């Protein structure tokens, strides 16, 4: 999975936060801290679509954009990519498990238990 640049991440955060699909114009309005040209927003949305982060559908003359996957799925994929970069996956997993909080460890244990039960 390809990574996201700063502006791409900002736009994805906006789109992930929306309850339904959005147009480029709506995204442009939701980026409060930047003064971006509409063409810049459209270019980034097109790039995110080509990278597989967004799905777009035609709505009259405009495109509507929605995430191809959830933010959680994206973060999980990043974690798996990072895990794939290590030469010693068991050591990396052990180190990760030691670094999480007690409540996070409980969540991991519950998820692993559910997987075993399937």
């Amino acid at each position: 999975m390809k990574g996201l640049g700063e502006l791409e991440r900002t736009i994805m955060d906006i789109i992930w936060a929306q309850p339904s699909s959005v147009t480029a114009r709506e995204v442009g309005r939701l980026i409060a801290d930047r003064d971006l040209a509409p063409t810049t927003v459209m270019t980034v949305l097109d790039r995110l679509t080509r990278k597989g982060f967004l799905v777009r559908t035609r709505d009259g003359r405009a495109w509507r954009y929605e995430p191809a996957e959830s933010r959680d799925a994206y973060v999980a994929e990043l974690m798996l990519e990072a895990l794939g970069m290590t030469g010693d996956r068991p050591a990396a997993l052990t180190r990760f498990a030691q670094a999480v909080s007690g409540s996070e460890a409980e969540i991991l244990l519950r998820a692993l238990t559910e997987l075993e039960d399937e």
Side-chain angles (χ1 to χ4, degrees):
M1 174 182 285
K2 296 180 176 105
L4 294 172
E6 181 185 343
L7 182 55
E8 291 173 328
R9 253 191 329 272
T10 299
I11 288 176
M12 285 304 301
D13 285 340
I14 287 168
I15 293 174
W16 275 318
Q18 302 312 303
S20 60
S21 62
V22 291
T23 64
R25 181 172 291 178
E26 292 166 337
V27 171
R29 277 189 290 228
L30 291 168
I31 299 177
D33 60 339
R34 297 184 186 231
D35 185 25
L36 297 174
T39 54
T40 301
V41 174
M42 287 187 289
T43 298
V44 174
L45 289 169
D46 184 59
R47 189 179 324 136
L48 288 166
T49 301
R50 284 187 278 118
K51 285 183 173 184
F53 287 98
L54 296 175
V55 175
R56 71 181 180 187
T57 54
R58 191 57 100 163
D59 183 12
R61 293 181 47 205
W63 289 104
R64 297 197 72 76
Y65 296 88
E66 61 187 321
E69 293 194 47
S70 69
R71 181 192 319 259
D72 293 340
Y74 170 67
V75 171
E77 187 66 30
L78 288 177
M79 293 169 70
L80 288 170
E81 281 184 23
L83 185 59
M85 293 169 39
T86 181
D88 188 351
R89 287 175 75 109
L93 285 168
T94 300
R95 179 75 175 173
F96 179 77
Q98 292 168 340
V100 299
S101 70
S103 61
E104 291 167 334
E106 288 177 19
I107 292 167
L108 284 172
L109 184 57
R110 202 169 32 248
L112 292 170
T113 303
E114 288 173 10
L115 286 173
E116 274 184 1
D117 294 343
E118 289 180 358

